[in-house]
Amino acid sequence: MVGAFSSYSHFPLSSSVCALSAPRKSSSTFFPPLASIPNARISHRAAGPPGSRKKTSDNLIAEISPHRAASAVRLLRIEHGGAFADLLNEKGRNSAENEMGYVERTLGFRTRDLDDRDMRLVTEIVGGTVRWRRYLDHLIMSLCSEEKMFRDMEPLLLQVLRIGFYEIIKLGMPPYAVVDENVKLAKRALRPGAGNLVNGILRKLVSLKETDSLPLPKVAGDDRAQARALAIIHSHPVWMVRRWMKFWGIEESVRLMNWNNSDPCFGLRVNTAKGYTRNDLVNRLKSLKVPHELSTFLEDFVRLQTGMQTVIQAGLLKEGICSVQDESAGLVVSVVNPQPGDTIVDCCAAPGGKTLFLASRLKSQGMVLAIDVNKGRLRILKEASRSHNVNDVVTTTNADLRLYAEKHNLKFDKVLLDAPCSGLGVLSKRADLRWNRRLEDLEQLMNLQDELFNAASMLVKPGGVLVYSTCSIDPAENEERVSAFLLRHPEFVVQPVHGFVPPDCITEKGYYFSNPVKHHIDGSFAARLVKSSRSTCQKPIP
């Protein structure tokens, strides 16, 4: 689970959520004014003094490309305001108006509203620009007259250049049209001189691209030098590349980075608790002309490569017909193996994708206690349980798991600890996540994972099951945490996951592990542990 650790007051890492496996922070998240961003400057011509802006109808700048203006503002919000690089939001078509409202408040002018094509372009450009940021910045810096020019560049000007570079290099848009449109944006949003700079740098890029002579580093030298070069070419942090090279070698690391840089696919889980079948979902997708394929891992799942915005706008999620959930998360639930009559606790539950799937498997018999430290996200889970018709078996509790386990001497048949983690298995969906993680974070995460692991074990009845899972591919968060736990808790033993998940997803030690490159789903891990039946149980759950 990515993001839950941000709710623990002692833990400083930034907040984030697994991409589209659960509700996310809205696109309407507060974005600080440019004046609060270091080196940010908007020309007097663009913004004007306070109170001087004209009404929207008089302030319409028709010649500025709306999707580029929206993309530039979105990128500023992501880098400086903490917003996420996801779909516009779940409000559908109204989001176009929201986006242009941000453009007007940030840049001081308004272009025409976004149409469906513009919205798709914003999603593509923002996600791709964030994903390829290190690669794009290397090229931009290489084409500046000196490195200091790049280092001192205004945030908005840098976003405009990143957009232009991405459109030319990765999207293959007509280069001179890209140059013209981004020059107009820079001139209007900043000043004429900024437009001239954008013009010069983008024209250099066009010339180098036409002669196939982009200034990229060679993969040569020692391991560190090779990692630095690969980190630029494939746009990842150096520490991640070095770590992956250590575990899997260069070739596998490159394949993993290529996966992370590819367009993500999304899973939809049909809501069987409301009586829908996968055929019902398939028929709705066909009527919406959304390309899809059946999951080869789970019978309740469908996979989409494109069309998620259409699904959202059509109301399939709001109606409770289905939820967005990756197959890797569904396979973690398969490891838990919920059965009617089971008492289950989901220890770090919100925003609740796995909770809802667990509950649907109970068929209105048994209970799922969903514990989470974040009250707001837990409220979303509670509302979702009603829309998915599983509120009869779902109970929510707002608590820190560590304190809850010490205070309540309750025991459950099955306990799921979907632990806070680095999220290194979901980088294809969370384009921004790679830039929000540091190597030092792993050590803090491992300490938290151990504490929560200990707490979760206190809730397991004798003979009961404890499942530890993450959406990480890093052994330090997975196998190593389980090994350390077993040394501290000899009353638990590993139960191999044979029969619960496909054989291709089972490691030598009997753990579940999905490899993004191999299985074409998010990377995730789960270990199924059984508690000795000789342990004492003071207060079982009825």
Side-chain angles (χ1 to χ4, degrees), residues 65-73 125 163 167 173 177-178 181-182 185:
S65 168
H67 78 264
R68 291 184 175 91
S71 296
V73 171
I125 289 172
I163 290 169
E167 289 178 323
M173 290 184 174
V178 172
E181 293 291 337
N182 283 286
L185 175 58

Side-chain angles (χ1 to χ4, degrees), residues 517-532:
V517 176
K518 181 179 180 181
H519 301 117
H520 305 293
I521 58 178
D522 287 345
S524 64
F525 170 89
R528 183 179 168 97
L529 311 176
V530 176
K531 187 175 185 179
S532 169

Side-chain angles (χ1 to χ4, degrees), residues 171-308:
L171 293 186
M173 290 184 174
Y176 290 101
V178 172
V179 174
D180 182 61
E181 293 291 337
N182 283 286
V183 167
K184 287 178 182 177
L185 175 58
K187 285 183 176 181
R188 183 69 199 189
L190 290 161
R191 59 192 175 281
N196 294 336
L197 180 62
V198 169
N199 182 63
I201 293 178
L202 287 181
R203 286 183 179 275
K204 284 183 185 178
L205 174 68
V206 172
S207 177
L208 291 172
K209 184 174 183 290
E210 288 176 347
T211 58
D212 196 24
S213 52
L214 295 176
L216 293 175
K218 294 183 179 179
V219 182
D222 59 17
D223 289 348
R224 181 172 298 181
Q226 291 181 51
R228 282 199 299 267
L230 288 170
I232 290 172
I233 294 170
H234 298 283
S235 195
H236 279 69
V238 176
W239 75 265
M240 282 187 194
V241 180
R242 292 196 68 189
R243 195 167 180 84
W244 294 340
M245 287 173 59
K246 173 185 174 183
F247 291 141
W248 304 302
I250 288 182
E251 290 185 5
E252 189 65 20
S253 298
V254 168
R255 282 193 283 269
L256 176 59
M257 288 187 284
N258 285 337
W259 167 265
N260 292 340
N261 289 332
S262 63
D263 292 332
C265 61
F266 297 100
L268 292 180
R269 178 179 64 81
V270 67
N271 185 9
T272 57
K274 290 189 77 169
Y276 294 107
T277 66
R278 185 161 68 173
N279 283 339
D280 295 329
L281 176 58
V282 166
N283 289 334
R284 286 294 298 271
L285 293 174
K286 287 180 178 177
S287 69
L288 294 170
K289 298 181 180 179
V290 173
H292 58 276
E293 59 184 55
L294 302 183
S295 168
T296 57
F297 297 118
L298 295 159
E299 61 182 14
D300 296 338
F301 283 69
V302 173
R303 188 181 300 184
L304 306 185
Q305 190 68 49
T306 61
M308 183 56 66

